[in-house]
Amino acid sequence: MDDLFDAVPIPRLVLRLGLPAMLAQAFNILYSVVDRIFVGHLPGTGSLALAGLGVCAPALTAVTAFASLVGIGGAAVLSLSMGARDHRTARQAMSTSLALLIGLSVILAAVLFAAARPLLYLLGCSDAIWPYAGRYFRLYVLGTPAALIGSGMNAFLLAQGQARRGMLSVTIGALLNTALDPLFLFVLDLGVAGAALATVLAQCCVMGYVLRQLRRPALPYPLRPARPSGPIVRRILAIGCLPFFIVLLDNLLIIPLDASLQHWGGPELGDKLLSCAAVVQSFMLLAYCPAQGITSGCATLYGYHFGAGHYEKVLQVFRWVLIVCLVYLSALCLFSQTAPEQFARLFCQDEALVPLAAACIRRYAAGLPGVAVQYALVDGLTAMGRTRSALPISFFRKGLYVLLVLVLPLLRPVEDLFWCAALSDLIGASVTAVVFLCAVRPRLAREMGRT
């Protein structure tokens, strides 16, 4: 591993680690996207069922924040320890992270199952949507342990240069979910419960595959039973807290949007806009998750070279991760402005809803290139353990988004709420770039003894 990171040029390493992780995340989002595609075409109830899944999405996706808390935090501890040649801490990071994930997932599953109805109504659920949302949500949360352990521990495959195996793990789950969805929904006629069951079974398979791969003796640091370490727990939580809050807030930010759409749209238009919001969320998952896959796949490069004191190589990692993210997100932004109708038709059984959903995608995704700046810089700083530098520039963008969601309906039609994301992405990217160049980079140079 040391020879690999020290000898191979940074651009090649970014492509070697980032692209498989990007593809892995692209397959990973097929869980929710495929569920929505099939559910949206249920005979007679597709529109309401799709809105139900859209209401569930913020809470269910927010649960993955706990996988980021432990997985990214633990993988960063592993990478930093590798760079500093601290092999004992590197070995303990995985077993400690696994124990944390098991405990957190069991508690979360119990709490979410018990609080399903009040929570979903808080997220904008209506009486018409509840039969679909409640059934899907309660069955889905039973798979929380498998989801968190599979996703969180997969970060340790990426951190040890096993990007292809990490990609294969989520590919297996996505393909299995895609195969089971039509079987459970249409052949066995299980409705939205079938979509949730397919996802849970797929996540169990992913968890089993990841744990088996991590036990391979050929890995630099294979998974071995060990007593959790208190100091390592604190390090994991300290580093993982920022990606935790980023993922959590990114998903909870859907809540004020859904609530505003329901309030300002009224009973009839509000439900239609919620269905459109579910389509928009699916499109944005195609943007956010693969881009985060690039940064998470390269997180070990940030951490290793920072731990080893290689200032110039750290800057190269920032630069090339930004380039790869920018190319991908700009291409997706172009598609969102030229052919969003093709994407909307995958979800909308009602052809009359397609033009409205396409218009919402155009507005929401117009600022996607700005997301590349945010992810490359914020996620890179997080991987190096510099959460104090990353926290303010990340939260600025999210605070601006919430402010726009609250203010814009007072000035513009309710459909224009979908502009809030684009405005916050572009303004947030500008502020992030200025802060990084003027404040963060000089600080890194001082810490690493370079000018």
Side-chain angles (χ1 to χ4, degrees), residues 136-263:
Y136 181 84
F137 185 85
R138 280 179 168 152
L139 185 53
Y140 195 110
V141 298
L142 292 178
T144 299
L148 292 194
I149 293 170
S151 177
M153 296 306 294
N154 198 41
F156 289 93
L157 285 176
L158 301 178
Q160 298 188 72
Q162 304 295 306
R164 292 183 181 178
R165 295 182 187 276
M167 179 182 70
L168 183 59
S169 69
V170 293
T171 303
I172 291 170
L175 293 178
L176 182 60
N177 182 59
T178 303
L180 292 177
D181 262 341
L183 173 64
F184 290 166
L185 267 72
F186 302 113
V187 178
L188 300 180
D189 197 24
L190 297 179
V192 294
L197 181 60
T199 300
V200 170
L201 291 176
Q203 289 170 339
C204 288
C205 291
V206 171
M207 177 185 67
Y209 175 85
V210 169
L211 292 179
R212 182 178 179 182
Q213 292 301 315
L214 286 173
R215 291 183 59 82
R216 293 170 56 243
L219 288 179
Y221 301 99
L223 178 62
R224 295 288 182 266
R227 186 176 178 178
S229 165
I232 293 179
V233 168
R234 289 191 289 272
R235 279 190 75 186
I236 290 172
L237 298 180
I239 295 174
C241 66
L242 181 58
F244 168 78
F245 283 117
I246 289 175
V247 175
L248 183 67
L249 290 177
D250 278 346
N251 291 285
L252 294 183
L253 288 179
I254 301 171
I255 298 174
L257 177 64
D258 286 353
S260 294
L261 291 174
Q262 190 71 270
H263 175 75

Side-chain angles (χ1 to χ4, degrees), residues 58 77 122 130 166 225 240 317 364 400:
V77 172
L122 180 65
W130 163 251
V317 178
Y364 205 95
L400 179 60

Side-chain angles (χ1 to χ4, degrees), residues 246-313:
I246 289 175
V247 175
L248 183 67
L249 290 177
D250 278 346
N251 291 285
L252 294 183
L253 288 179
I254 301 171
I255 298 174
L257 177 64
D258 286 353
S260 294
L261 291 174
Q262 190 71 270
H263 175 75
W264 296 99
E268 183 176 350
L269 181 59
D271 282 347
K272 288 184 178 179
L273 289 174
L274 281 178
S275 296
C276 293
V279 177
V280 170
Q281 291 162 20
S282 299
F283 184 85
M284 297 308 290
L285 284 175
L286 290 174
Y288 294 155
C289 291
Q292 286 179 327
I294 296 169
T295 58
S296 65
C298 296
T300 190
L301 291 179
Y302 288 109
Y304 177 86
H305 288 300
F306 181 77
H310 301 156
Y311 174 70
E312 295 296 338
K313 289 192 174 183

Side-chain angles (χ1 to χ4, degrees), residues 72-138:
I72 295 178
V77 172
L78 174 66
S79 300
L80 289 165
S81 302
M82 287 165 54
R85 306 300 194 269
D86 183 358
H87 302 298
R88 182 173 181 274
T89 300
R91 292 189 183 95
Q92 288 184 304
M94 262 196 298
S95 57
T96 300
S97 296
L98 179 58
L100 275 175
L101 286 167
I102 292 172
L104 285 172
S105 62
V106 172
I107 294 171
L108 279 171
V111 171
L112 291 173
F113 189 89
R117 188 179 183 95
L119 176 60
L120 292 182
Y121 272 83
L122 180 65
L123 297 179
C125 185
S126 65
D127 291 338
I129 295 173
W130 163 251
Y132 309 100
R135 197 175 305 132
Y136 181 84
F137 185 85
R138 280 179 168 152

